[in-house]
Amino acid sequence: MKKVLTTTGIAVILATAYYIYSSEDSRPEFVVAAEAETNNFLQYTYGPGKCVAKPDKKAGWSMACSYEKGKRVVQYHVYPADKAPHETGNRFYLEATNQLAVESASQSMGRFLGIGTSKFSGA
């Protein structure tokens, strides 16, 4: 009986470890980098905030960066750098999906992100 409980305990620990490892690893590196680096750059313009990317059936990944307690939301599609229409020094490429994102492409530190604006109808 002791052996069964020990084996069961080990199995639970291994399953938990696998779940934690796989859930952290389920987001591509370019997405994690886009969230962190975009927020770092945009904070110079908009102040403290946060960028969160989610899977998007249409574009692969979409990201919303929220500032001023949600009053300003900057939205992008996020792609790996090799999908960029031009050379980029980042691991990711951003395409603006709202007017504030278009504006961020040329403001302050945002201009160093190489944000694409041509696909946004308001650009």
Side-chain angles (χ1 to χ4, degrees), residues 48-63:
K50 184 174 183 177
C51 294
V52 177
K54 295 181 180 177
D56 183 314
K57 290 179 183 174
K58 186 172 107 178
W61 289 88
S62 61
M63 181 170 69

Side-chain angles (χ1 to χ4, degrees), residues 5-121:
L5 290 176
T6 303
T7 305
T8 303
I10 291 172
V12 168
I13 291 169
L14 290 174
T16 303
Y18 175 76
Y19 174 76
I20 290 169
Y21 176 77
S22 65
S23 65
E24 288 178 354
D25 199 42
S26 64
R27 297 159 47 81
E29 182 182 323
F30 76 92
V31 171
V32 174
E35 288 174 328
E37 293 175 33
T38 303
N39 187 52
N40 285 341
F41 280 94
L42 294 184
Q43 287 186 87
Y44 285 95
T45 303
Y46 303 114
K50 184 174 183 177
C51 294
V52 177
K54 295 181 180 177
D56 183 314
K57 290 179 183 174
K58 186 172 107 178
W61 289 88
S62 61
M63 181 170 69
C65 301
S66 180
Y67 301 94
E68 296 178 16
K69 297 181 182 179
K71 292 179 184 172
R72 289 181 176 260
V73 178
V74 189
Q75 298 177 330
Y76 306 99
H77 284 145
V78 183
Y79 303 97
D82 63 351
K83 302 287 185 200
H86 53 74
E87 280 293 317
T88 179
N90 298 320
R91 292 174 278 183
F92 57 89
Y93 170 68
L94 301 174
E95 190 68 46
T97 60
N98 72 353
Q99 188 59 41
L100 195 54
V102 171
E103 293 168 13
S104 74
S106 61
Q107 292 179 344
S108 188
M109 298 292 286
R111 68 180 184 267
F112 296 110
L113 291 168
I115 300 165
T117 59
S118 62
K119 292 183 182 177
F120 181 69
S121 61

